[in-house]
Amino acid sequence: MRGVYTAAFLDRLVKYFALSRNEPTLDLGKGFDLITGTSTGAIVACALAVGRPLSEVVRLYEKSGPEIFPHRIKGTMSAIYRALRGDAFVRPGDKALRDALTTVLTDTTMRQVYDLRGISLSVPAVAMKNHRAWVFKKTAKSGPRDDNYPLVDVCMATSAAPIYRSLAAIEDPMGGHGRKQVFADGGLWANNPILVGMIDALAAAAPGQPIEIFSLGTCSRPEGETISDDEAHRSMLDWKLGADVAPLAISAQEFAYDSMARFLSGAFTDLGRSVRTLRFPKKDVPAEMLDYLGLDDSRGSAMTRLIQQACADADLIKSACDDTKNYDGAMVKALMMDLPSMPVTGAVWR
């Protein structure tokens, strides 16, 4: 559900620059050669790739969120209740997500986005058949394996978070005979896909071509907790039957991959290949936001608070763009000022 923050943040930032340029809106997806996203981030990424208005993505979360997550795991007892109810919640949630994605992404495939929009996509998941990392990919250097996967299926696969959602059983376009493959959430290994994007950019870009990576998260949680010696002996119930492990893994991955990406970009630049990464926003969120950052929190109050935070953070980034001495702000501004115009109803390309 925290994807509503990402969509609202980008929506507000694009509106700022569209107004300053006297344009109806801007086609943010066309600002990139390659877009990558994991789990909820892939939903935003694919919407950008096909040129859908970001306000439409915000509405997807607001309208369909309560149907996708009709029950929130908010404590040990709710985790036990969920365990006893089996698939009573995840099965209808799976259908609700597919229906919502179809309204935004229709039947568009990976290959169509590449051929008709000139945008490469790279979306991490986990293949359950061998428990290995899988990247749905269409770039200048990728083969045909993923060409005919619909974006809806790709998003279903990358966001199939264990405990919170069903695994994704999707058609294999290369298999035929109605055979399906089953995938789990790409966040199990690449919740922050910045290194996935960097590798594909290095592989696909022309020799010596500078690379700029813009990395945006989903409203990071206030980090850390004080744990006494006695509290260190946690059981399954203390971890809410595993539901509390996911946010911990997300936070640890986000920090680790950002740190590695900064190190590698510096190393490549020193070797003569210009690679620059920008992570934004960098502001710590208020501690009271912790009550609204559950992965399955579809309450109206939670979405309202996430959107409010997104707007506040976008305002800060716009201020950085207006500061002529702010190097990161100049990078964002250059991107936004170079975007093509787009009708408010979305890009026309098919």
Side-chain angles (χ1 to χ4, degrees):
M1 289 308 302
R2 279 156 54 182
V4 73
Y5 167 91
T6 309
F9 176 95
L10 293 175
D11 184 43
R12 189 173 180 89
L13 194 59
V14 166
K15 283 179 178 175
Y16 269 129
F17 283 94
L19 287 170
S20 68
R21 292 173 49 184
N22 198 29
E23 301 281 6
T25 189
L26 304 174
D27 191 343
L28 182 57
K30 287 291 284 183
F32 298 90
D33 301 295
L34 167 70
I35 304 178
T36 184
T38 302
S39 197
T40 196
I43 296 174
V44 179
C46 288
L48 290 175
V50 300
R52 299 312 306 157
L54 287 156
S55 57
E56 190 173 304
V57 184
V58 173
R59 287 196 297 272
L60 180 152
Y61 284 97
E62 290 183 305
K63 179 182 177 181
S64 302
E67 298 173 353
I68 298 168
F69 295 110
H71 175 259
R72 177 167 62 106
I73 302 176
K74 55 185 179 293
T76 300
M77 294 308 297
S78 66
I80 294 173
Y81 175 72
R82 172 73 73 85
L84 295 175
R85 290 296 303 273
D87 65 357
F89 296 111
V90 296
R91 187 181 291 272
D94 190 72
K95 181 181 184 303
L97 178 59
R98 177 172 287 278
D99 290 345
L101 290 171
T102 302
T103 63
V104 175
L105 304 174
T106 64
D107 59 353
T108 307
T109 65
M110 301 275 285
R111 180 61 184 262
Q112 287 173 325
V113 171
Y114 182 78
D115 285 347
L116 303 177
R117 290 268 288 168
I119 299 172
S120 297
L121 281 169
S122 188
V123 179
V126 175
M128 292 302 292
K129 62 184 178 183
N130 53 18
H131 288 190
R132 291 183 179 177
W134 177 292
V135 180
F136 291 94
K137 185 183 305 187
K138 185 57 190 176
T139 72
K141 296 296 180 70
S142 66
R145 184 196 69 177
D146 300 333
D147 283 8
N148 295 319
Y149 276 106
L151 297 185
V152 170
D153 282 353
V154 172
C155 288
M156 293 294 292
T158 187
S159 65
I163 299 175
Y164 294 94
R165 282 201 51 241
S166 303
L167 294 172
I170 62 175
E171 296 283 352
D172 179 0
M174 297 279 287
H177 310 295
R179 186 168 66 88
K180 293 189 176 183
Q181 296 191 86
V182 179
F183 292 92
D185 197 307
L188 292 172
W189 68 277
N191 183 72
N192 178 354
I194 188 169
L195 290 181
V196 175
M198 181 183 289
I199 290 169
D200 279 329
L202 288 166
Q209 180 182 2
I211 293 172
E212 292 183 341
I213 302 173
F214 295 78
S215 176
L216 175 63
T218 56
C219 194
S220 299
R221 293 162 58 91
E223 307 300 354
E225 54 187 309
T226 301
I227 301 174
S228 69
D229 292 350
D230 288 339
E231 292 172 332
H233 304 289
R234 291 183 176 179
S235 67
M236 288 180 64
L237 288 180
D238 294 322
W239 287 105
K240 297 179 190 174
L241 301 183
D244 271 356
V245 176
L248 175 61
I250 287 172
S251 298
Q253 282 192 48
E254 183 178 279
F255 177 81
Y257 287 130
D258 276 338
S259 298
M260 288 187 282
R262 285 196 300 272
F263 175 83
L264 288 173
S265 63
F268 279 119
T269 300
D270 291 343
L271 292 171
R273 181 62 182 271
S274 177
V275 180
R276 186 176 176 205
T277 63
L278 171 60
R279 177 73 173 184
F280 63 105
K282 299 178 180 179
K283 174 179 170 290
D284 292 333
V285 300
E288 55 91 14
M289 282 294 296
L290 190 60
D291 292 335
Y292 306 106
L293 296 178
L295 304 185
D296 58 348
D297 193 344
S298 59
R299 293 175 298 165
S301 58
M303 283 184 275
T304 296
R305 188 63 188 89
L306 282 167
I307 292 171
Q308 289 174 341
Q309 189 63 44
C311 292
D313 290 345
D315 291 347
L316 288 176
I317 293 297
K318 181 58 170 62
S319 296
C321 293
D322 295 335
D323 182 356
T324 57
K325 297 181 181 179
N326 189 307
Y327 194 42
D328 289 346
M331 186 174 169
V332 175
K333 183 176 181 178
L335 168 70
M336 292 291 173
M337 295 304 290
D338 196 44
L339 295 177
S341 177
M342 184 176 79
V344 292
T345 54
V348 179
W349 57 279
R350 294 191 65 180

